[in-house]
Amino acid sequence: MVEAGDAESMPGQRKRRRQQQDEVRRAAARFAPDEGHWEVLFETQDEAEWHARVRRLRASDTQIDWTAVRVDRLCGRQTQPTTFRLSLFVPNALPHPDQNFST
């Protein structure tokens, strides 16, 4: 008897799903709270300004690791407009091997 989760409708589907799950686990470990923090690069309530700033950053700032960027769209309500935020993950500084930790 075949379990419902075991049947494959398309070849390679299980492999793709496993790869996606592995990628999610790696991202969760890379961006875990004890690994660093999110630093806001910019925030705006103007969608046109948002798109323009992202385009300029992509074109001019080669120092940004775009795999470590988070885009937040904080949906507004009647009393508060929608806010667009771009944040960069900043890893914790690794201790220098020459540092003496004794007191």
Side-chain angles (χ1 to χ4, degrees), residues 12-81:
Q13 185 175 358
R14 183 178 295 161
K15 181 180 177 183
R16 279 190 300 277
R17 185 172 49 243
R18 198 171 311 126
Q19 288 172 335
Q20 289 171 341
Q21 291 169 344
D22 290 345
E23 186 176 317
V24 167
R25 279 191 285 277
R26 281 192 301 274
R30 179 179 178 196
F31 302 125
D34 58 335
E35 296 296 321
H37 65 279
W38 290 98
E39 187 174 295
V40 176
L41 295 178
F42 74 90
E43 183 175 298
T44 183
Q45 294 174 347
D46 181 342
E47 189 170 4
E49 177 187 0
W50 162 258
H51 290 291
R53 297 263 315 255
V54 169
R55 274 193 301 274
R56 280 195 308 268
L57 274 174
R58 283 191 178 277
S60 66
D61 196 338
T62 59
Q63 300 298 317
I64 293 177
D65 175 8
W66 289 95
T67 64
V69 169
R70 184 175 78 187
V71 174
D72 296 310
R73 180 177 180 161
L74 309 170
C75 294
R77 299 289 185 259
Q78 292 178 357
T79 59
Q80 196 169 11

